[in-house]
Amino acid sequence: MATPKRAHNGKPPTQPREVACSRSDLQSAQLRIRQAARKDKGLRFTTLWHHVYHIDCLWDAYLSIKRHAAPGVDEQTWQQYGEDLEANLHDLSGRLQRGAYQAKPVLRTYVPKADGSQRPIGIPVLEDKIVQRAAVGILNNVYETDFKGFSYGFRPGRSQHNALDALSVGITTQKVNWVLDGDIRGFFDAIDHAWLIKFIEHRIADQRVIRHVRKWLNAGVLEDGELTRAEEGTPQGGSISPLLANIYLHYVFDLWADRWRRQAGRKKVTIVRFADDCAPRTHRRTRVLRGGAARKMRGGRTQ
């Protein structure tokens, strides 16, 4: 199926009541969010959700989804949803606006890992993917001003290649005595929901955002026809899971590691983190994770 075209000669579909504004208005609003977040690190944002259900935001989120990705529990594909895209997005926007949207369980499947074990992957339904991607697009305007420079995983304009480049530069241009490779075992399955919400609320005071994050966390996982819900974890495969993981690690690891590096580490330690994998480098024989970083990381166990 070809990429869906806009109705009305390429113009976006008509907007619901609260979002009757242009794409340029949406872009300007996002710019204002970034500027405010950068200027005041203690600012809590109270009105963000209406940007998420903006038709242009939902449209862009839909187009960013992989066309041939496996469907979720409703078995609806990207192509099927696009057959009546304008009506579907209008309906979705309206449900998001009036609070009628409900997250559906994530379908669990497994992919093989290099060591022979299986990695669990969650497959959300298409509409959950759309809304989550739209939410990430708005929330990134806040969190990209907060996240530390040594965090590379699942961030706009950053990749594993950037992380490897940072490691290479640090090792080849500085005197390095020790390199530690750290990984948080079972991190995505062990994120504490209560703490995650507390961390989000440091910056986000819009209760509609918080309520929908709770919906995604509590939607449950469907495996072999059995629905399970847990108070921990965020399924890998969800569009918002990487951002939630970065928010969690920002507060339980990055802020602490950056402060320790500047104080006890005497700026002799540099760090590269990609999602739940971390590689500190030190110029002197120093216990980089002195005191046991594992005890500070409520969401998992170091390995």
Side-chain angles (χ1 to χ4, degrees), residues 245-300:
N246 274 331
I247 292 172
Y248 200 100
L249 286 172
H250 174 72
Y251 285 101
V252 302
F253 179 76
D254 292 357
L255 293 178
W256 166 79
D258 187 54
R259 184 173 63 250
W260 188 92
R261 176 183 61 176
R262 296 173 184 276
Q263 297 175 359
R266 302 177 185 177
K267 298 184 180 180
K268 298 294 184 179
V269 177
T270 54
I271 300 170
V272 174
R273 180 176 69 77
F274 191 92
D276 58 336
D277 295 298
C278 178
R281 309 183 303 275
T282 178
H283 304 251
R284 51 197 293 270
R285 188 166 180 169
T286 305
R287 289 186 63 195
V288 178
L289 299 181
R290 182 186 304 171
R295 292 195 297 272
K296 288 184 174 289
M297 305 179 83
R298 302 176 186 269

Side-chain angles (χ1 to χ4, degrees), residues 72-140:
V73 296
D74 63 352
E75 299 184 348
Q76 186 172 50
T77 66
W78 186 90
Q79 290 82 0
Q80 291 169 340
Y81 196 84
E83 291 175 0
D84 196 7
L85 184 59
E86 182 173 351
N88 286 334
L89 291 182
H90 271 301
D91 178 67
L92 176 59
S93 178
R95 281 182 280 132
L96 292 169
Q97 182 176 344
R98 63 180 183 269
Y101 162 86
Q102 295 295 327
K104 290 183 172 60
V106 172
L107 179 65
R108 172 160 289 173
T109 186
Y110 293 86
V111 296
K113 297 174 64 175
D115 61 3
S117 62
Q118 298 285 313
R119 180 188 301 275
I121 297 294
I123 306 176
V125 300
L126 187 74
E127 282 199 336
D128 286 347
K129 291 181 182 179
I130 293 173
V131 181
Q132 288 182 19
R133 291 205 177 205
V136 168
I138 299 302
L139 294 176
N140 271 341

Side-chain angles (χ1 to χ4, degrees), residues 9-29:
N9 297 321
K11 296 181 180 179
T14 308
Q15 311 293 320
R17 292 188 303 275
E18 291 187 19
V19 290
C21 57
S22 67
R23 174 177 291 273
S24 61
D25 292 331
L26 177 63
Q27 293 171 340
S28 297

